[in-house]
């Protein structure tokens, strides 16, 4: 309940142009400020700079050039060019060849066929260079179309792509069975968007129960599951299921967000598990940042003080 209220509050703030303009001007300046805790910086070099020390400590990374819901084909084409430049920069830097992207950033709201063309362009550069490309999952408005596009590309032979399923959506357990049957990789998350009750569980206990059921589906029928959560109960369950089903630590990975539960991230690496850190960067950080804040009701006071205080 509290999380729903918090998600609602921050999703309303996410639409405020004034707050976005204000935050964009001041909040990223301070290297130790609240925004920098979650966002690696504005540029791909900032992101690579953030990933290097993580990789030196045994983590891998996935790079997300932040941006979503572009409203013209010109913006979508520009976002695609940016991603191509990101792929090249990652190759030159020699860091993890792994990116995460959103289809609305590539123009899904403007024209589906163009968004698919844009994704294909990125895959044509990234796949031969050994990249894995994860299509992030956005709000439930896009679930069907995102999975359709993914499944079409898969049928056409793309194998270095994967999707994300959200345990808060009622439909996800059925989606998981279908994606597992393909032999494709799933990143399992709880879901970051404020969804209507007609499509999603609202009680945390229901979202967690669904997450646990889906974990079992992944460890019995899945291909290289990505367990993306900071919830220690779910992490312990994943470890138990992996042991029970003889899935060795090289056949799955944990994934966590940059700046969240760094203690837990380090502990898992020390225990010999694979841990990939999701490293977001770019000028369009505001909606992503608002989702992170909405996940924790305790963040409310924290952010208001952080953004509006003179020191931010
Ligand atoms: C690698 C990765 C990729 C993701 N990709 C997507 C995606 O494509 N689509 C999507 O809808 N969602 C995505 N998410 C977000 C996800 O859906 C959840 O909203 C988010 O991970 C919080 O849920 P949780 O599983 O950590 O569990 P929760 O039960 O929400 O949190 C468990 C504990 O983690 C810590 N924690 C969690 N969130 C925060 C926070 N924001 N600030 C501080 N502490 C926190 C707290 O200690 C909390 O008690 C992704 C998450 C990860 C880790």
């Amino acid at each position: 309940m509290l999380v729903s209220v918090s998600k609602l509050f921050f999703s309303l703030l996410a639409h405020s142009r004034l707050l976005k303009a204000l935050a964009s001007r001041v909040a990223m300046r301070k290297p130790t400020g609240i925004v920098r805790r979650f966002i690696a910086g504005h540029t791909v070099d900032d992101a690579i700079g953030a990933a290097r020390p993580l990789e030196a400590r045994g983590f891998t990374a996935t790079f997300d050039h932040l941006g979503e819901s572009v409203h013209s084909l010109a913006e979508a084409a520009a976002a695609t060019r940016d991603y191509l430049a990101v792929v090249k920069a990652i190759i030159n830097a020699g860091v993890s060849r792994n990116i995460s992207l959103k289809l609305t950033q590539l123009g899904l709201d403007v024209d589906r066929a163009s968004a698919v063309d844009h994704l294909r362009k990125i895959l044509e550069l990234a796949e031969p260079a050994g990249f894995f490309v994860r299509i992030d999952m956005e709000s439930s408005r896009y679930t069907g179309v995102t999975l359709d596009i993914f499944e079409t590309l898969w049928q056409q032979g793309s194998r270095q792509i994967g999707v994300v399923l959200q345990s808060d959506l009622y439909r996800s357990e059925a989606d998981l069975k279908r994606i597992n049957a393909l032999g494709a990789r799933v990143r399992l998350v709880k879901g970051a968007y404020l969804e209507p009750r007609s499509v999603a569980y609202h009680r945390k206990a229901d979202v967690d129960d669904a997450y646990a059921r889906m974990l079992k589906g992944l460890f019995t029928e899945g291909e290289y599951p990505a367990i993306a959560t900071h919830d220690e109960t779910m992490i312990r369950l994943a470890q138990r299921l992996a042991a029970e089903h003889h899935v060795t630590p090289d056949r799955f990975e944990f994934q966590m967000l940059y700046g969240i539960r760094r203690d837990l991230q380090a502990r898992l690496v020390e225990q010999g598990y694979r841990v990939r850190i999701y490293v977001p960067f770019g000028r369009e950080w505001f909606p992503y940042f608002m989702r992170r804040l909405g996940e924790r009701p305790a963040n409310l006071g924290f952010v208001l003080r952080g953004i509006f205080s003179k020191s931010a």
Side-chain angles (χ1 to χ4, degrees):
M1 170 67 180
L2 216 54
V3 172
S4 296
V5 172
S6 172
K7 277 188 177 178
L8 176 63
F9 177 79
F10 282 105
S11 79
L12 290 175
L13 285 190
H15 290 103
S16 159
R17 288 193 186 168
L18 177 67
L19 186 60
K20 183 178 174 188
L22 230 174
S24 302
R25 241 186 301 139
V26 295
M28 188 75 102
R29 276 194 213 137
K30 197 175 161 196
T32 54
I34 179 168
V35 176
R36 275 302 188 95
R37 176 175 157 199
F38 297 116
I39 317 286
H42 277 157
T43 67
V44 65
D45 289 340
D46 291 335
I48 290 168
R52 280 195 200 284
L54 290 169
E55 292 192 345
R57 290 168 52 215
F59 295 98
T60 54
T62 182
F63 296 91
D64 174 23
H65 185 224
L66 292 169
E68 47 203 271
S69 301
V70 302
H71 298 295
S72 72
L73 283 182
E75 283 176 298
T80 307
R81 283 195 298 277
D82 285 348
Y83 253 109
L84 293 172
V86 166
V87 167
K88 287 178 193 157
I90 290 172
I91 294 172
N92 290 336
V95 290
S96 304
R97 297 190 177 193
N98 194 305
I99 54 174
S100 297
L101 49 76
K102 292 184 174 48
L103 291 179
T104 61
Q105 189 176 5
L106 303 184
L108 186 59
D109 277 330
V110 190
D111 176 44
R112 173 179 169 155
S114 303
V116 175
D117 282 349
H118 290 146
L119 178 56
R120 279 215 179 88
K121 260 193 203 134
I122 294 169
L123 291 174
E124 275 164 21
L125 178 67
E127 286 197 309
F131 275 72
F132 186 79
V133 178
R134 179 78 62 177
I135 305 174
D136 282 344
M137 189 57 83
E138 302 178 67
S139 73
S140 60
R141 237 179 100 198
Y142 302 102
T143 312
V145 63
T146 301
L147 293 177
D148 275 359
I149 290 172
F150 171 77
E151 287 174 62
T152 303
L153 289 169
W154 185 268
Q155 303 299 359
Q156 292 171 350
S158 277
R159 287 294 178 271
Q160 285 155 242
I161 52 173
V163 273
V164 180
L165 294 178
Q166 299 150 325
S167 73
D168 66 343
L169 297 189
Y170 305 141
R171 59 172 289 166
S172 290
E173 289 180 66
D175 289 333
L176 179 62
K177 285 209 170 70
R178 220 176 47 256
I179 305 292
N180 278 348
L182 289 179
R185 293 185 185 190
V186 169
R187 174 200 289 158
L188 180 61
V189 301
K190 291 190 186 177
Y193 297 85
L194 184 70
E195 300 288 0
R197 284 180 199 278
S198 53
V199 301
Y201 301 108
H202 274 207
R203 287 179 53 229
K204 177 173 162 55
D206 292 334
V207 178
D208 288 355
D209 286 351
Y211 197 98
R213 290 193 297 273
M214 291 177 73
L215 271 181
K216 187 155 186 216
L218 278 173
F219 279 107
T220 50
E221 295 165 359
E223 176 67 29
Y224 197 80
I227 314 305
T229 182
H230 316 88
D231 182 338
E232 295 198 54
T233 306
M234 296 301 141
I235 288 169
R236 278 195 297 274
L237 178 60
Q239 291 168 323
R240 187 156 58 76
L241 286 167
E244 272 171 27
H245 297 283
H246 310 289
V247 180
T248 47
D250 57 335
R251 287 172 50 216
F252 70 99
E253 68 185 31
F254 291 107
Q255 295 191 350
M256 295 192 206
L257 300 175
Y258 182 74
I260 297 184
R261 289 303 310 269
R262 285 175 279 210
D263 56 331
L264 181 57
Q265 297 174 0
R267 202 188 322 147
L268 287 171
V269 166
E270 278 159 24
Q271 291 171 355
Y273 291 102
R274 291 185 171 181
V275 181
R276 188 176 299 281
I277 305 298
Y278 187 100
V279 180
F281 70 96
R283 293 191 177 276
E284 294 299 321
W285 51 265
F286 193 67
Y288 173 92
F289 178 64
M290 286 291 146
R291 282 197 294 280
R292 299 292 77 80
L293 296 177
E295 278 154 6
R296 277 194 87 206
N299 284 335
L300 178 53
F302 190 39
V303 70
L304 291 178
R305 276 195 305 278
I307 287 182
F308 292 111
S309 74
K310 282 195 181 120
S311 60

